[in-house]
Amino acid sequence: MPMIRLHDKNFELYLTASSIAERVNSIATQINTDFATKKPLFIAILNGSFMFAADLFKQVSIDAEICFIKMASYKGTKSSGQLVTAIGLDMEVFARHVLIVEDIVDTGNTLHEFLPQLQHQQPASLQVAALLHKPEATIYPIQVRYIGFSIPSQFVVGYGLDYNGLGRNRPDIYRLSE
Ligand code: IMP
């Protein structure tokens, strides 16, 4: 089992780059159909979603826009529960078909805070695409329309996700090894 070490912890290979690419492509195909005439606005939540958002957006062949916001609630391998907005939204959301792009929906805290703020601006529709979903970790139930992989409640890194800043550059996803 291929392993990597980041800071003080070992991680084992969990999802390969090719299995991720396959899921990203099928989500993009679905989005191309569902939003065909809707010129959707993708809002990717930094930092973790940058790789997923880029790969997904490249496979979107319909007219679409993308912008980025930055929110964070994680310190190390635990959610602090406290959300900080570092880069705000610079796009008009009113009457737009909005698709939020997230790396992981874990406790649901980030989207529980952010979705009502967006809803307030009256988008035509509001959906979420998440590469990973940890249903067992959910505290705030969030409807995720497009899910790459549902995974158990375990800490993962790679493909944009980090452990204290490291691991984002790995093309595969690794899980914390006991
Ligand atoms: P939530 O607000 O608890 O749903 O968590 C959302 C954010 O926490 C995600 O967008 C990630 O950036 C981060 N996060 C959650 N789980 C993990 C993980 O297993 N590895 C790395 N980051 C994570």
Side-chain angles (χ1 to χ4, degrees):
M1 173 76 65
M3 303 274 290
I4 57 169
R5 186 165 178 85
L6 300 171
H7 298 296
D8 57 335
K9 296 199 192 304
N10 295 317
F11 295 84
E12 61 192 32
L13 184 61
Y14 184 44
L15 301 168
T16 61
S18 63
S19 68
I20 296 167
E22 212 172 281
R23 286 300 301 140
V24 172
N25 288 352
S26 76
I27 292 174
T29 302
Q30 192 66 53
I31 288 171
N32 286 333
T33 305
D34 294 352
F35 291 88
T37 57
K38 296 182 170 167
K39 208 188 284 180
L41 172 62
F42 287 49
I43 302 179
I45 304 185
L46 296 172
N47 291 324
S49 75
F50 77 95
M51 218 175 263
F52 173 47
D55 285 348
L56 182 67
F57 206 58
K58 278 187 280 186
Q59 304 295 328
V60 169
S61 51
I62 56 172
D63 278 356
E65 291 180 73
I66 189 165
C67 66
F68 300 86
I69 63 157
K70 184 168 179 178
M71 298 178 123
S73 66
Y74 252 69
K75 271 221 162 80
T77 62
K78 295 254 154 38
S79 178
S80 71
Q82 290 222 324
L83 205 65
V84 182
T85 304
I87 301 174
L89 188 63
D90 62 354
M91 294 287 288
E92 182 70 58
V93 155
F94 178 73
R96 297 296 306 267
H97 291 278
V98 172
L99 184 66
I100 305 296
V101 182
E102 257 286 36
D103 51 358
I104 296 197
V105 175
D106 180 24
T107 64
N109 182 40
T110 306
L111 292 180
H112 174 77
E113 294 233 353
F114 185 51
L115 292 179
Q117 291 175 29
L118 278 183
Q119 209 53 274
H120 196 68
Q121 298 178 47
Q122 299 179 291
S125 66
L126 183 56
Q127 303 289 349
V128 177
L131 179 68
L132 303 170
H133 188 214
K134 295 183 189 170
E136 291 163 10
T138 301
I139 297 172
Y140 306 99
I142 300 291
Q143 272 220 328
V144 185
R145 171 81 171 269
Y146 307 98
I147 298 176
F149 301 89
S150 271
I151 63 169
S153 186
Q154 56 194 355
F155 191 77
V156 290
V157 294
Y159 197 71
L161 292 155
D162 74 309
Y163 166 49
N164 274 344
L166 296 183
R168 293 194 199 276
N169 50 326
R170 303 280 174 162
D172 306 292
I173 291 178
Y174 294 77
R175 67 178 165 205
L176 190 60
S177 177
E178 296 314 319

